[in-house]
Amino acid sequence: MNSPKKIIITSCLLLGIMLVSLASAEGRRERPSDLSAPEAFLKANAAYHAGKYQQAADLYEAVVLEKQNGYVYYNLGNCYFKMGRTGKAIINYRRAQ
């Protein structure tokens, strides 16, 4: 027969394993490289409008690796401008031309 002490220890271990797996699943984020260019572009636009400029820049960078486009470079320039990174903003505005 199982002793109450064994049941408590087993229950605590199972609870700990469940909490760790839940935390790791919640911490997983979709990487820009996991998305197609159109999906990444749409998510980047949403991130930009939400004020998440670094996240938007990361997504736009993933898009230009797959498909170079003046609109994407322009949006990328806007992200860097909003973050105060003027040099990168200018480079991307030039690429947009």
Side-chain angles (χ1 to χ4, degrees), residues 5-70:
K5 190 175 183 179
K6 274 187 177 180
I7 293 173
I8 292 172
I9 291 173
T10 305
S11 298
C12 288
L13 285 173
L14 288 174
L15 181 63
I17 290 170
M18 288 180 5
L19 288 174
V20 167
S21 65
L22 242 172
S24 67
E26 193 173 302
R28 254 185 266 138
R29 287 192 335 187
E30 205 168 34
R31 294 179 309 208
S33 60
D34 294 340
L35 302 171
S36 69
E39 289 172 326
F41 184 76
L42 292 174
K43 285 188 181 255
N45 287 343
Y48 180 87
H49 291 294
K52 300 176 182 177
Y53 304 119
Q54 184 60 58
Q55 181 184 358
D58 293 341
L59 289 161
Y60 286 132
E61 292 280 2
V63 172
V64 296
L65 289 176
E66 199 173 311
K67 181 176 173 76
Q68 295 183 352
N69 181 298

Side-chain angles (χ1 to χ4, degrees), residues 61 76-77 80-81 85-93 95:
E61 292 280 2
L76 188 53
Y80 285 123
F81 181 78
R85 298 175 71 185
T86 311
K88 282 198 160 226
I90 292 170
I91 288 170
N92 285 288
Y93 288 141
R95 288 176 180 159

